[in-house]
Amino acid sequence: MFKILIIYYSRSGNTKKMAEFVRDGAKEEKVEVELKKVEDTTPEDMLNADGIIIGSPTYYGQPASPIIKLLEESVKYHGKFEGKIGGAFSSSANIGGGNETTILAILEAFLIHGMIIQGSYKGDHYGPVSIGKPDVRVEKQCKELGRRIAKLVMKNKS
Amino acid sequence: MFKILIIYYSRSGNTKKMAEFVRDGAKEEKVEVELKKVEDTTPEDMLNADGIIIGSPTYYGQPASPIIKLLEESVKYHGKFEGKIGGAFSSSANIGGGNETTILAILEAFLIHGMIIQGSYKGDHYGPVSIGKPDVRVEKQCKELGRRIAKLVMKNKS
Amino acid sequence: MFKILIIYYSRSGNTKKMAEFVRDGAKEEKVEVELKKVEDTTPEDMLNADGIIIGSPTYYGQPASPIIKLLEESVKYHGKFEGKIGGAFSSSANIGGGNETTILAILEAFLIHGMIIQGSYKGDHYGPVSIGKPDVRVEKQCKELGRRIAKLVMKNKS
Amino acid sequence: MFKILIIYYSRSGNTKKMAEFVRDGAKEEKVEVELKKVEDTTPEDMLNADGIIIGSPTYYGQPASPIIKLLEESVKYHGKFEGKIGGAFSSSANIGGGNETTILAILEAFLIHGMIIQGSYKGDHYGPVSIGKPDVRVEKQCKELGRRIAKLVMKNKS
C-alpha cells in the first residue's frame, strides 16, 4: 500500500486541525496515512513516503523555520524524491498576505526535489488556507487536498 | 495517442529554438506533439491537448502579454483542464533576474487550472532557462522537459 | 508638485472602485493625483509620474493582459524609472489564491525598473486585496496605500 | 550617523564574501556599517539598524533556516521596523533555479515589516546572485547594492 506522510508545525492548534482534516480526506482512498509533527520528522520519514504534504503557519510570508530546516536536511536524499507527490497548506492569524507565498515556498522546494504537484481549479488553488480557526470551508478544502494527493500517488507510483 | 501542445512566443528566435528542443525531447516518447506560436493558438487547442508546455521570453519578470492573454481566455474552459500536465520555460537577453518569476507565473496559472506539474532535481529546477541563444546545456534541459512531460501524460491520462 | 498616477483595469467595477479609494488617500497629501484606465495609459504617462500605482483583477494568478502589455511597452524608458515609487492592488471574484501573486507580479516589474516599493506592517502587507465588492476594510487599506505612496514620493523625490 | 546592518549565513564562504563586498559598497557613503553572521544576530540588532541587508545561500529555493528563524523572531518588534530600508542577496552552488525565490522570500518578509526596498534596473534586478565563487561581476553588483541601500537610508530616515 502506498504511504502518505502529513507533516505540520502548529503552535495554536490551527495548522494541526488542518492536518487532521487532510488526513481524513486521504484516508478515504486506499493509502496508508501518517500524521507527524515536524519536530518528530526526519528526512528518512520523507524518503519512505510516496506522498508528502506539509502544513505551516505563515510567518513573514514564509513557512515556519522548523519546516525550512527539515526541507534543508532533506538534501541528504537529493534525487531520491523524484516522482514523489507533494502538497501544502497554511494558516495565519489574520488576513493580510503571506499565505500564498508560504504555500508556494513549500511547493517550490518540492519542485526542486523533482516532485509532482497539482493545483485545484476550485477552492484554494495552490493549497488550503485558513485564517484563524479552520471552518467548514477549510475542512472541505483540506479533505479535498488529502483525497487529491492520494489519487495522484496511486496513479503515479503504480 | 496522447497529445502534447507546445506554445511559444518568440521575437528573437531564442524561445522558438527552445520550443523546438522541447518538441524533440517529447517526440522520443509515444505521444503526438504539436508546436504552435501563441498568436495561432486558441483555448480550444489547449482543451484538446493532454499536456501543455508554454515558453516565453522574460519581460519585466513576467511572461509576454500574448501568453498572459491566452491564459486569460482559457477561463472559458475553467475546470476542463483538471488533470492535464503542464510545463514552462523561458529565455532572456541577459542575466539579471526575472526568469524564475516568469516560469513560476505560467506554472501558477496551470495550478489554478487544476493541472499537474513536476520539477527537475537536476538542471533547471522550475523549467529550462536560456540566457541569450540556447546552448548545449539548454538544449539538454529542454529535451529533458519534453520527455518528462510526455511520460507524465502517459502515466496520468491512461 | 509631485505627481502620482493610478492605473487600473476593471471589468466589474471593483478594481475601479479600489482605484478611487487609493486616489482619495493620495489626495490627502500635497501631491497631484491622476486616475487612468490602462487602455488610456501610455509609457509616457508613466514616465511623467513620480509615483505609479497599478491595480488589476486576478486572472489565473496574474495581472490582466492589458496591464502586462503596458509594463512590456514601458521597456522603451528602461532606466528612466529608477527611483520612482510603486504600489499595487488587486481584486478577485472569490477567495482561492492568486491575489498575492498578482500584486507581487506588478511589484517585481517595478523592482526591475529600479523603482522603490514599501509594504504595510498592518492590513494587506503586499498591497490591498478585495474579494468581490470593496468593503470598508478594503476602503481603508486602499486609502492607506494612497497616503503611503504619496509620502514616499515626497520623501524620495525631493 | 545612520546604521546599516548586513546579516549573512555562509558555509562555503561564498555568501560571506558577497556580504563583504556589500559592506565595501555601503562604506563609500556616510553611514555606519556592521557585518554580522546570522548566528550572532538578534532582533534587537535589527531594531537598531536603519537599513538591513540579508544574504543567504539558496537551499531548495528558500533562505537558510537560521535566516528564516531570525525573521520569525523579529515578530517581537512587529511594527517597529516600518520605514527601515531592506535589501537581499543570495548564492548557490550551481545554476538551476531558486536564487530569485530565495531573494524574494527575504524581500517579502521586509515588506510584511512595512519596510522599503528598491530594485536595480541594470544587473541583478531583485538583488545580487552568485553562482559559486563571487566573480568580478558579482563584486560590482554587491557594492552597488551596498551603495544603493545606504543612499536610500539617508534619503528616507532624515
Side-chain angles (χ1 to χ4, degrees):
Chain A
M1 211 152 69
F2 297 115
K3 186 171 173 181
I4 289 175
L5 174 63
I6 302 163
I7 304 164
Y8 68 93
Y9 178 75
S10 190
R11 276 199 272 189
S12 68
N14 290 340
T15 313
K16 188 187 178 201
K17 195 75 210 148
M18 292 179 83
E20 290 166 349
F21 288 139
V22 174
R23 178 195 56 194
D24 295 348
K27 281 205 163 166
E28 293 176 27
E29 306 294 326
K30 285 204 184 84
V31 291
E32 194 192 324
V33 189
E34 194 179 8
L35 198 66
K36 276 200 147 181
K37 287 195 225 178
V38 67
E39 298 91 329
D40 302 334
T41 311
T42 64
E44 285 70 28
D45 295 324
M46 296 171 82
L47 182 66
N48 292 330
D50 302 291
I52 303 168
I53 308 176
I54 296 182
S56 176
T58 289
Y59 295 153
Y60 287 98
Q62 310 306 323
S65 57
I67 299 287
I68 294 290
K69 195 156 179 288
L70 177 66
L71 288 168
E72 233 170 73
E73 290 166 355
S74 70
V75 72
K76 194 173 161 182
Y77 298 111
H78 192 72
K80 308 264 188 200
F81 287 18
E82 193 184 24
K84 287 186 193 295
I85 312 299
F89 57 95
S90 81
S91 68
S92 63
N94 35 42
I95 301 185
N99 279 299
E100 290 181 30
T101 47
T102 296
I103 287 180
L104 289 171
I106 296 168
L107 297 181
E108 284 158 12
F110 286 159
L111 291 177
I112 293 176
H113 262 305
M115 290 171 59
I116 296 166
I117 63 177
Q118 183 181 18
S120 168
Y121 76 89
K122 39 184 181 184
D124 296 347
H125 301 306
Y126 303 137
V129 164
S130 183
I131 309 300
K133 267 184 98 128
D135 58 14
V136 177
R137 194 197 70 87
V138 172
E139 177 178 346
K140 208 181 131 194
Q141 296 291 322
C142 289
K143 286 185 174 168
E144 198 273 322
L145 174 67
R147 275 193 303 270
R148 179 156 39 95
I149 298 295
K151 281 178 188 158
L152 258 184
V153 161
M154 290 185 290
K155 196 84 184 171
N156 282 277
K157 308 297 284 188
S158 301
Chain B
M1 211 153 69
F2 296 115
K3 187 170 173 181
I4 290 176
L5 174 63
I6 303 164
I7 305 165
Y8 68 92
Y9 178 76
S10 189
R11 278 199 272 188
S12 68
N14 290 340
T15 313
K16 188 187 179 202
K17 194 74 211 150
M18 293 179 82
E20 290 166 351
F21 289 139
V22 175
R23 178 196 55 195
D24 294 348
K27 281 204 163 166
E28 293 175 27
E29 306 294 326
K30 285 204 184 84
V31 292
E32 193 191 326
V33 189
E34 194 178 10
L35 197 66
K36 278 200 145 183
K37 286 194 226 179
V38 66
E39 298 91 328
D40 302 333
T41 311
T42 63
E44 284 70 27
D45 294 325
M46 297 171 81
L47 182 66
N48 291 330
D50 301 291
I52 303 168
I53 307 177
I54 296 181
S56 176
T58 289
Y59 295 153
Y60 286 98
Q62 309 305 322
S65 57
I67 299 287
I68 294 291
K69 195 157 180 289
L70 177 66
L71 288 168
E72 229 169 76
E73 288 167 357
S74 69
V75 71
K76 194 173 161 182
Y77 298 111
H78 192 72
K80 308 263 189 201
F81 287 17
E82 193 184 24
K84 288 186 192 296
I85 312 299
F89 57 95
S90 81
S91 68
S92 63
N94 35 42
I95 301 186
N99 279 299
E100 290 180 31
T101 47
T102 297
I103 287 180
L104 289 171
I106 296 167
L107 297 182
E108 283 158 12
F110 286 160
L111 291 178
I112 294 177
H113 261 306
M115 289 171 61
I116 295 166
I117 63 177
Q118 182 181 17
S120 169
Y121 76 90
K122 40 184 180 184
D124 296 348
H125 302 305
Y126 304 137
V129 163
S130 183
I131 309 300
K133 266 183 98 128
D135 59 14
V136 177
R137 193 196 70 89
V138 172
E139 178 178 347
K140 208 181 130 195
Q141 296 290 323
C142 288
K143 286 184 175 168
E144 198 271 324
L145 175 67
R147 276 192 302 271
R148 179 155 39 96
I149 297 295
K151 280 178 190 159
L152 258 185
V153 161
M154 290 185 291
K155 196 84 184 168
N156 282 277
K157 307 296 283 189
S158 301
Chain C
M1 211 151 70
F2 295 115
K3 187 171 172 180
I4 289 174
L5 174 62
I6 302 163
I7 304 164
Y8 68 93
Y9 179 75
S10 189
R11 276 199 273 189
S12 69
N14 290 340
T15 313
K16 188 186 178 201
K17 194 75 211 151
M18 292 179 84
E20 290 166 350
F21 289 138
V22 174
R23 178 196 56 195
D24 295 347
K27 281 205 163 165
E28 292 176 27
E29 305 295 325
K30 285 203 183 85
V31 291
E32 195 191 324
V33 189
E34 195 178 9
L35 196 66
K36 277 199 147 184
K37 286 194 225 180
V38 67
E39 298 91 328
D40 302 334
T41 311
T42 64
E44 286 70 29
D45 294 325
M46 296 171 82
L47 183 66
N48 292 329
D50 302 290
I52 303 168
I53 307 176
I54 296 182
S56 175
T58 289
Y59 296 152
Y60 286 98
Q62 310 305 323
S65 57
I67 299 287
I68 294 291
K69 196 157 178 289
L70 177 66
L71 288 168
E72 231 171 73
E73 290 168 356
S74 69
V75 72
K76 194 173 162 181
Y77 297 112
H78 192 73
K80 309 263 188 197
F81 287 18
E82 192 184 24
K84 288 186 192 296
I85 312 300
F89 57 95
S90 81
S91 69
S92 64
N94 35 43
I95 301 184
N99 279 299
E100 290 181 30
T101 47
T102 297
I103 287 180
L104 289 171
I106 296 168
L107 297 181
E108 284 158 11
F110 286 160
L111 292 177
I112 293 176
H113 261 306
M115 290 172 60
I116 297 166
I117 63 176
Q118 184 181 16
S120 168
Y121 77 90
K122 39 185 179 183
D124 295 348
H125 301 306
Y126 304 136
V129 164
S130 182
I131 309 300
K133 268 183 95 130
D135 58 14
V136 177
R137 194 196 70 87
V138 172
E139 177 178 346
K140 208 180 130 195
Q141 296 290 322
C142 289
K143 287 185 173 166
E144 199 271 323
L145 175 67
R147 275 193 303 269
R148 178 154 41 94
I149 297 296
K151 280 178 188 157
L152 257 185
V153 162
M154 290 185 291
K155 196 86 185 168
N156 281 277
K157 307 297 282 187
S158 301
Chain D
M1 214 152 65
F2 296 114
K3 187 171 173 181
I4 290 176
L5 174 62
I6 302 164
I7 304 164
Y8 68 93
Y9 179 75
S10 189
R11 278 199 272 188
S12 68
N14 291 339
T15 313
K16 188 186 178 200
K17 194 75 212 150
M18 292 179 82
E20 290 166 350
F21 288 139
V22 174
R23 178 195 56 194
D24 294 348
K27 281 205 164 167
E28 293 175 28
E29 306 294 326
K30 286 205 183 83
V31 292
E32 193 191 325
V33 189
E34 195 178 9
L35 197 66
K36 277 199 147 183
K37 286 194 225 178
V38 66
E39 297 90 328
D40 302 334
T41 310
T42 63
E44 285 70 27
D45 295 324
M46 297 171 80
L47 183 66
N48 292 330
D50 301 292
I52 303 168
I53 308 177
I54 295 182
S56 176
T58 290
Y59 295 152
Y60 287 97
Q62 310 304 322
S65 57
I67 300 287
I68 294 291
K69 196 157 178 289
L70 177 66
L71 288 168
E72 232 170 74
E73 289 167 357
S74 70
V75 71
K76 193 174 161 182
Y77 298 111
H78 193 72
K80 309 264 187 199
F81 287 17
E82 193 184 24
K84 287 186 194 296
I85 312 299
F89 57 96
S90 81
S91 69
S92 63
N94 35 41
I95 301 187
N99 280 298
E100 291 181 30
T101 46
T102 296
I103 287 180
L104 288 171
I106 296 168
L107 297 181
E108 284 158 12
F110 287 159
L111 291 177
I112 294 176
H113 262 305
M115 290 172 60
I116 297 166
I117 63 175
Q118 183 181 18
S120 168
Y121 76 89
K122 39 185 179 180
D124 295 347
H125 302 306
Y126 304 136
V129 163
S130 183
I131 308 301
K133 266 184 98 129
D135 59 14
V136 177
R137 194 196 71 86
V138 172
E139 177 179 346
K140 207 181 131 194
Q141 296 290 322
C142 289
K143 286 185 174 167
E144 199 271 323
L145 174 68
R147 275 193 301 271
R148 179 154 40 94
I149 298 294
K151 280 178 188 157
L152 258 185
V153 161
M154 290 185 290
K155 196 84 185 171
N156 282 277
K157 307 297 285 189
S158 301

